[in-house]
Amino acid sequence: MSTTADRADENTSQLDLAIAELAAGSVRWGVTPLAARGDLLARTATSVSDEAERWVAAAARAKGLDPSSPLIGEEWLTGPYGVLTSVNALGRTLRGLASGRSPLAGQRLGRAPGGRVTVSVLPHNAWDGLLLHGFRARAWLRPGVTVRRARVSAGLGQLSPTATGGVGLVLGAGNISSIAPLDVLYELVAHNRVSILKLNPTFDGLLPIYRAALAPLIAQGLLRIVTGGADVGDYLAHHVGISHVHITGSAATHDAIVFGGCKTPRLGKPISSELGGVSPIIVLPGRWSPKDLSYQAEHVATMRLHNGGYNCIAGQVLVLSAAWPQKHAFLAAVAAALAAAPTRPAWYPGSDERMRAARAAYPAAQPIPGGRLLVAVANSAASPSAAFPSTASPSTASPSTASPSTENMLTTEYFAPVLGVVELPGDDQAYLDAAVRTVNRDFLGTLGVNIIGLPSTIRRLGPVFEQAVMRLQYGTIAINAWTGVGFLSAAAPWGAFPGHTLDNVQSGIGVVHNALLLDEVERTVVRGPFRPFPRSVAHAEWALLPKPPWFVSARSGARTARLLTEFAAHPSARKLPRILVAAFHA
């Protein structure tokens, strides 16, 4: 009869064997030509496509989603779709390098404030320009990087393909099913590093799906996938055969691995990370129509409630001008949009406890149907937030400010459906300057910030607005878009603003995705339309996309997302009409 110790020894032996197999795979990868690497990614795309339906079903089961729910669209977009677009984009980069072309060949370069070089990353191809019409993104490189340096350095590890990065450990996220495969792909292509992937226990049920979808990588000895608790992660992180660790998760988990309760690091190897934070939604005051208020309220609800609120990039705090005459109307619309969003289980571990902590910290918070919470925050740099209009009666006031507590909406990532509101004094430039100063100084993390404003307001601010964007210290800045668009854009670098350290890690160190393999990235700036089609065109915005399929209020989101995934697997102009018809039923 085997004992617990025997089983533990057997488990560690299996882990040791997996690392040894990966070490041999790393050697094979080092002698694999670039063209053959591109072919391998093409085969991986095929296997991901073959598993797409089972993948979505397994992710839905993990989250307790009804298979008929329109929210299933989230699982298509942030599951197989995200992996397919990334593996295809990385494959194109590899094939280009194999033929002697820089990843920046044919890419539009530009300039941002401070003389920074920018690279267009969305649209990444002609299909993007059609399917995401009106959305665009640019990667800003760090100050001082020249165009020549950008071109020479683009390609990262594939510029020296025989110099392998050994065997890395990827500690997978447990909230979005594409994150772990995307991290594995980036480790392999950007850093020539093979991976042992330890799944978050939340996604243990996806193990057979991942193994089938990523079978070409596994067959070549470039990937092993394991399950287990914190003890398995700790064993692997400190294993002599592991040269690097990458984690997507919380700062607390990062610090446990790096420091283990000590004052100095006990992890004797490099670690990269994506760790979330408290994402602001800065709203620029202006004269909005009732339809504008309603649409942007749904936009805010999406930023907060997508995936149930369990996103590292979920918008957590609205930042408003106290002088905005439409402030109360907008808050009423936001409360209504939160209440109208489809209900779903509180599936992520610890959600109930975090909601209880939020209610204890803010006892006057406004409860929203569906288990949501709207909280006004008294910030040291802000005027106390005004009362929230009730969803039942917009004229009813319900003041909500923080009670003394260790919880703070600006420094606690709730990872739950809690939306805070902070008001700042001023209007136009004075308000914008205060907003930039406040979110840079008072908010936890630097992963992403959202800005919503009328195009006319942004044009009126002119250079003042662009300078404000430059001063925001965030890895992704989304203007009239959600930063989640940056996450799903294969060529866009994704990660915290650079400069964090192990003992002050904030939102993490390093970037992922980044299919153009850009070096020395500072941030990604995403821009979208303020209004959906056809109101966009009626107001002189050249954007033909209706309500985006990732909106929680998109009625046809599931069908559109599935069609987009099928298109990503096998692009064809003949598929476009069906996608467009589905999108226009949102």
Side-chain angles (χ1 to χ4, degrees):
M1 183 175 179
S2 64
T3 65
T4 301
D6 291 334
R7 289 192 294 273
D9 289 342
E10 181 181 356
N11 189 36
T12 56
S13 296
Q14 292 173 344
L15 296 175
D16 294 343
L17 176 61
I19 292 171
E21 291 171 343
L22 287 167
S26 176
V27 174
R28 288 194 296 274
W29 180 250
V31 297
T32 301
L34 290 178
R37 296 180 180 193
D39 292 341
L40 175 64
L41 292 192
R43 295 197 301 275
T44 302
T46 298
S47 60
V48 169
S49 175
D50 290 344
E51 292 299 317
E53 190 160 355
R54 288 206 308 146
W55 182 325
V56 169
R61 284 194 299 273
K63 300 178 181 184
L65 271 180
D66 186 323
S68 64
S69 169
L71 297 176
I72 291 293
E74 296 178 355
E75 302 313 316
W76 283 101
L77 289 179
T78 63
Y81 172 83
V83 176
L84 282 168
T85 55
S86 184
V87 74
N88 287 334
L90 287 168
R92 285 192 294 271
T93 294
L94 282 173
R95 289 189 292 273
L97 286 166
S99 64
R101 295 197 313 273
S102 165
L104 296 189
Q107 299 298 318
R108 182 178 301 174
L109 304 185
R111 292 285 179 179
R116 292 165 174 81
V117 173
T118 67
V119 181
S120 175
V121 292
L122 180 70
H124 183 52
N125 53 49
W127 300 124
D128 285 348
L130 290 170
L131 296 171
L132 293 172
H133 196 274
F135 287 86
R136 60 195 189 279
R138 296 190 298 168
W140 293 19
L141 305 186
R142 300 191 192 191
V145 176
T146 63
V147 170
R148 181 182 181 280
R149 187 162 144 196
R151 292 188 186 278
V152 169
S153 61
L156 298 179
Q158 298 310 304
L159 299 177
S160 303
T162 60
T164 63
V167 180
L169 167 64
V170 172
L171 296 170
N175 60 329
I176 293 292
S177 65
S178 64
I179 290 179
L182 290 174
D183 290 347
V184 165
L185 287 165
Y186 193 69
E187 286 287 292
L188 183 64
V189 179
H191 303 298
N192 280 327
R193 189 178 296 125
V194 304
S195 295
I196 183 166
L197 165 62
K198 193 200 85 67
L199 300 182
N200 185 294
T202 302
F203 281 160
D204 280 357
L206 273 78
L207 176 63
I209 309 298
Y210 285 144
R211 283 180 171 167
L214 304 175
L217 304 181
I218 294 172
Q220 293 296 313
L222 309 176
L223 174 66
R224 293 292 182 268
I225 309 176
V226 300
T227 60
D231 56 330
V232 173
D234 189 71
Y235 178 80
L236 290 170
H238 297 279
H239 195 288
V240 67
I242 296 294
S243 62
H244 179 273
V245 177
H246 178 79
I247 176 175
T248 300
S250 69
T253 303
H254 169 275
D255 290 349
I257 292 169
V258 173
F259 295 99
C262 302
K263 292 184 178 180
T264 56
R266 70 184 184 104
L267 185 70
K269 59 196 68 174
I271 181 171
S272 56
S273 50
E274 193 266 75
L275 306 173
V278 174
S279 295
I281 307 168
I282 300 172
V283 179
L284 304 180
R287 294 183 63 183
W288 295 16
S289 72
K291 288 184 178 180
D292 294 338
L293 291 168
S294 177
Y295 178 76
Q296 290 301 339
E298 291 179 31
H299 200 180
V300 169
T302 295
M303 296 180 195
R304 176 65 272 184
L305 298 181
H306 183 278
N307 198 36
Y310 310 117
N311 285 336
C312 57
I313 201 58
Q316 181 166 302
V317 179
L318 269 174
V319 180
L320 302 177
S321 165
W324 186 26
Q326 293 181 291
K327 170 186 61 182
H328 292 292
F330 185 58
L331 284 174
V334 168
L338 291 172
T343 58
R344 60 185 301 163
W347 64 271
Y348 199 83
S351 178
D352 291 340
E353 290 82 355
R354 289 187 291 274
M355 291 298 290
R356 281 194 290 270
R359 293 188 187 98
Y362 300 94
Q366 179 182 349
I368 303 290
R372 290 101 192 218
L373 202 63
L374 193 55
V375 176
V377 183
N379 181 31
S380 59
S383 62
S385 187
F388 287 126
S390 165
T391 55
S393 174
S395 63
T396 302
S398 153
S400 163
T401 55
S403 62
S405 170
T406 57
E407 296 289 331
N408 187 317
M409 185 63 63
L410 309 189
T411 58
T412 301
E413 183 183 15
Y414 275 100
F415 224 64
V418 179
L419 180 66
V421 181
V422 166
E423 291 185 22
L424 299 176
D427 200 354
D428 288 340
Q429 181 177 349
Y431 161 72
L432 181 57
D433 288 344
V436 170
R437 185 168 57 250
T438 299
V439 301
N440 279 347
R441 180 191 63 204
D442 298 342
F443 282 53
L444 172 71
T446 65
L447 188 60
V449 58
N450 311 273
I451 306 174
I452 299 173
L454 282 166
S456 58
T457 301
I458 293 172
R459 284 194 300 270
R460 187 179 71 250
L461 289 167
V464 169
F465 179 79
E466 299 304 324
Q467 289 292 321
V469 172
M470 181 191 71
R471 295 198 308 274
L472 284 166
Q473 296 176 357
Y474 285 83
T476 297
I477 301 169
I479 302 163
N480 287 330
W482 178 33
T483 45
V485 177
F487 173 88
L488 275 180
S489 298
W494 179 257
F497 195 78
H500 299 317
T501 59
L502 290 181
D503 57 358
N504 183 26
V505 74
Q506 295 278 322
S507 291
I509 298 170
V511 301
V512 290
H513 305 182
N514 187 27
L516 294 175
L517 303 182
L518 302 173
D519 196 15
E520 298 185 275
V521 174
E522 183 183 59
R523 71 186 85 191
T524 296
V525 178
V526 180
R527 295 176 189 256
F530 181 76
R531 304 173 179 92
F533 181 84
R535 290 197 306 115
S536 55
V537 175
H539 289 82
E541 287 186 273
W542 182 234
L544 303 181
L545 189 72
K547 181 185 292 185
W550 55 84
F551 267 42
V552 293
S553 54
R555 291 174 296 181
S556 59
R559 176 167 173 74
T560 306
R562 179 174 188 146
L563 291 172
L564 284 169
T565 304
E566 293 172 356
F567 183 91
H570 304 288
S572 169
R574 290 176 297 179
K575 296 180 179 180
L576 291 175
R578 293 177 65 204
I579 297 173
L580 295 175
V581 168
F584 275 88
H585 281 94

